[in-house]
């Protein structure tokens, strides 16, 4: 069930909100937990059993780890077992098919015949709820937060439908206190959350879904035939699409969380305004970067054990980050690409803010181009297609626009693409989401009022019309 579907917008969300508000405070987490399981079962069907098994294992592990009767060695053993269980689920359901294809290719190349065949459907949201489980058992083991003693509170954290399928990645210590605080102001929460939800819906339906056909047409051109103009238009269209699609989902998730009284972490901070790739990763998918920092980078030693270890840790993190996004060589190379860029920036001292406006402009432009090139790897079906597009973008092949790309560039899509790209030129601090949340004084209040009116009464209704017309598509990050 997509947030941008008629079923969700006009049935599931209002019914769940009304039920939540009408329920006594002590039972509100029960409403969220049940609604979240229904939401997941609706989209994932029988895979809800897989989610339930992971929930029960990690809930029991948390209680054991937090028990004073369990020794330090026993607590560590339970932690290792729970993390192994979580990663095992992820490995089987997300990566077994990829591993089988590599074994088959190697076996065939060696003349040994075909290897094993594994073809498992990917349960939606598996990467996200796996990371939530790991965060929970690690935080409890670190004694940073106590374990959940009630199953309902734990189910609410893991399955909370605003963030269950595509994040943000909510670390347990960020929300554990909120799970216990059910004395929420439903009117203030709704007033704060609905404009944010409406902003996300508009970003997804009006911008991302509008430019998606341009990117699809460009990436459908055979890699040996694609020209420079087509490659650049396709890369820029996908750059716009993935940002407005994913940040739109995150805005909707944050807004939904607010309407239910939860404050979920921010996930974006104008990433295309970054002045380095290091800065980009402080602004893009922030919750994922923080998860890797807390649970992988720092335990590996972070930057405390010398330059060589720091570089190694950065590469490890981004290989894992790439592979987390998908079981494919393109994702692995995308992670290596970004990890290599971060290592190079740290070695050259370019990870620090530039001095002066000219240097800032040049660094922002260079970073944007590097990110666009990375998105070609991310979007391509295989490395051959990525090489063809990147080669065309580098000038290896001339040529005008492909006829299907030209057909996709009607007046409305072209206007939306151009307007969306101009966002890159705005100051890095100008974030509409933050304006909606934090503008409190003077001119900011007028700006907030204007933004709320535009989003709530103009953009959101128009997006609703488009949804009713059946023009929405699934969120890109549902596949991860």
């Amino acid at each position: 069930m997509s947030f941008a579907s008629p079923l969700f917008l006009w049935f599931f969300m209002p019914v769940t909100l009304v039920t939540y508000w009408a329920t006594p405070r002590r039972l509100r987490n029960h409403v969220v937990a049940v609604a979240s399981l229904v939401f997941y079962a609706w989209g994932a069907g029988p895979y809800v059993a897989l989610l339930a098994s992971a929930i029960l294992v990690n809930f029991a592990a948390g209680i054991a780890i937090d028990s004073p009767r369990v020794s330090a060695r026993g607590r560590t053993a339970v932690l290792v077992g729970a993390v192994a269980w979580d990663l095992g689920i992820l490995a089987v359901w997300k990566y077994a098919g990829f591993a089988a294809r590599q074994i088959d290719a190697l076996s065939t190349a060696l003349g040994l015949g075909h290897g094993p065949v594994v073809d498992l459907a990917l349960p939606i949201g598996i990467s996200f709820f796996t990371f939530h489980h790991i965060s929970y058992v690690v935080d409890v083991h670190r004694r940073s937060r106590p374990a959940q003693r009630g199953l309902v509170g734990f189910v609410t954290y893991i399955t909370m439908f605003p963030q269950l399928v595509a994040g943000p990645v909510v670390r347990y210590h960020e929300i554990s206190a909120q799970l216990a605080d059910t004395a929420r102001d439903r009117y203030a929460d709704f007033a704060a959350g609905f404009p944010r939800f409406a902003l996300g819906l508009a970003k997804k339906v009006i911008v991302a879904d509008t430019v998606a056909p341009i990117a699809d047409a460009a990436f459908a051109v055979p890699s040996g035939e694609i020209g420079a103009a087509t490659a650049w238009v396709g890369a820029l269209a996908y750059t716009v699409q993935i940002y407005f699609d994913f940040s739109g989902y995150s805005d909707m998730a944050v807004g939904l969380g607010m309407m239910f009284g939860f404050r979920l972490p921010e996930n974006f901070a104008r990433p295309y305004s970054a002045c380095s790739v290091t800065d980009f990763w402080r602004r893009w998918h922030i919750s994922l970067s923080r998860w890797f920092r807390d649970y992988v980078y720092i335990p590996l030693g972070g930057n405390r054990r010398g330059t060589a270890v720091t570089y190694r840790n950065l590469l490890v993190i981004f290989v894992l980050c790439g592979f987390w996004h998908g079981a494919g060589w393109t994702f692995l190379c995308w992670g290596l690409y970004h990890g290599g860029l971060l290592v190079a920036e740290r070695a050259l001292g370019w990870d620090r803010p530039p001095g002066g406006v000219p240097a800032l402009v040049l660094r922002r432009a260079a970073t944007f181009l590097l990110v666009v090139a990375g998105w070609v790897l991310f979007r391509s079906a295989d490395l051959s297609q990525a090489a063809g597009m990147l080669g065309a973008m580098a000038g290896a092949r001339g040529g005008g626009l492909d006829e299907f790309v030209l057909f996709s560039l009607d007046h409305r899509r072209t206007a939306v693409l151009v307007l969306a790209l101009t966002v890159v030129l705005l100051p890095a601090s100008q974030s509409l989401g933050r304006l909606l949340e934090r503008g409190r004084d003077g001119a900011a209040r007028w700006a907030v009022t204007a933004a709320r009116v535009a989003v709530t009464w103009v953009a959101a209704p128009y997006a609703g019309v488009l949804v009713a017309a059946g023009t929405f598509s699934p969120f890109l990050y549902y596949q991860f």
Side-chain angles (χ1 to χ4, degrees), residues 221-418:
V221 177
S223 57
E225 302 173 13
I226 193 167
T230 296
W232 274 105
V233 168
L236 290 172
Y238 186 70
T239 297
V240 167
Q241 180 194 0
I242 193 169
Y243 170 67
F244 281 90
D245 187 283
F246 191 23
S247 70
Y249 177 92
S250 295
D251 284 330
M252 296 171 82
V254 170
L256 278 169
M258 288 180 182
M259 285 189 267
F260 288 97
F262 294 101
R263 295 301 184 263
L264 303 181
E266 294 292 341
N267 221 15
F268 291 89
R270 289 186 47 79
Y272 294 156
S273 299
C275 58
S276 66
V277 177
T278 303
D279 189 30
F280 173 79
W281 280 102
R282 296 189 187 109
R283 298 168 175 271
W284 176 273
H285 208 340
I286 300 168
S287 63
L288 180 66
S289 299
R290 289 175 176 170
W291 192 97
F292 273 114
R293 179 198 65 193
D294 287 357
Y295 303 116
V296 184
Y297 182 73
I298 291 177
L300 284 176
N303 56 3
R304 303 186 308 274
R305 298 182 181 175
T307 302
V309 173
T310 299
Y311 293 167
R312 181 206 66 185
N313 293 344
L314 286 171
L315 289 173
V316 167
I317 289 298
F318 278 91
V319 167
L320 294 175
C321 179
F323 223 40
W324 177 87
H325 280 85
W329 292 110
T330 52
F331 293 110
L332 180 62
C333 290
W334 176 76
L336 276 171
Y337 171 76
H338 275 275
L341 288 174
L342 262 70
V343 168
E345 285 185 349
R346 185 176 286 264
L348 296 170
W350 291 353
D351 55 326
R352 294 183 290 274
V357 174
L360 176 63
V361 170
L362 289 173
R363 288 268 297 273
R364 279 185 61 175
T367 300
F368 180 70
L369 292 176
L370 290 171
V371 169
V372 171
W375 288 136
V376 172
L377 269 171
F378 192 88
R379 172 62 172 78
S380 295
D382 51 44
L383 293 177
S384 176
Q385 183 184 39
M389 282 203 71
L390 291 171
M393 291 168 67
R397 194 179 302 110
L401 286 172
D402 175 81
E403 59 178 325
F404 292 104
V405 175
L406 191 59
F407 177 77
S408 71
L409 283 166
D410 60 24
H411 295 305
R412 180 173 65 92
R413 290 172 184 157
T414 302
V416 170
L417 177 60
V418 171

Side-chain angles (χ1 to χ4, degrees), residues 112-273:
L112 302 176
H114 290 288
V117 176
V118 178
D119 187 16
L120 298 174
L122 181 67
I124 60 173
I126 187 171
S127 298
F128 289 92
F129 69 68
T130 297
F131 273 23
H132 289 149
H133 281 130
I134 293 174
S135 170
Y136 173 73
V137 292
V138 172
D139 281 359
V140 173
H141 184 266
R142 290 174 174 175
R143 305 291 198 193
S144 64
R145 293 295 186 277
Q148 288 289 318
R149 297 295 172 179
L151 183 59
V152 170
F154 184 65
V155 171
T156 302
Y157 163 54
I158 296 297
T159 68
M160 190 186 301
F161 71 88
Q163 50 80 36
L164 172 61
V165 175
V169 181
V170 184
R171 295 165 294 171
Y172 177 60
H173 62 262
E174 294 177 298
I175 203 168
S176 61
Q178 298 183 51
L179 294 170
D181 178 18
T182 56
R184 301 157 192 153
D185 186 339
R186 59 182 182 269
Y187 301 112
D189 290 338
F190 183 81
F194 184 75
R196 187 67 180 273
F197 178 85
L199 171 64
L201 179 65
K203 289 165 76 171
K204 161 64 176 170
V205 177
I206 297 176
V207 182
D209 287 354
T210 298
V211 302
I214 304 172
D216 292 343
F219 279 90
V221 177
S223 57
E225 302 173 13
I226 193 167
T230 296
W232 274 105
V233 168
L236 290 172
Y238 186 70
T239 297
V240 167
Q241 180 194 0
I242 193 169
Y243 170 67
F244 281 90
D245 187 283
F246 191 23
S247 70
Y249 177 92
S250 295
D251 284 330
M252 296 171 82
V254 170
L256 278 169
M258 288 180 182
M259 285 189 267
F260 288 97
F262 294 101
R263 295 301 184 263
L264 303 181
E266 294 292 341
N267 221 15
F268 291 89
R270 289 186 47 79
Y272 294 156
S273 299

Side-chain angles (χ1 to χ4, degrees), residues 28-71:
R28 286 181 177 174
N29 283 347
H30 294 68
V31 173
V32 176
V34 171
S36 298
L37 288 172
V38 171
F39 176 87
Y40 190 80
W42 194 286
Y47 290 114
V48 71
L50 179 67
L51 173 61
S53 68
I55 286 173
L56 292 175
V57 167
N58 285 276
F59 176 68
I63 291 177
I65 292 170
D66 202 32
S67 172
R69 294 191 296 271
V70 178
S71 66

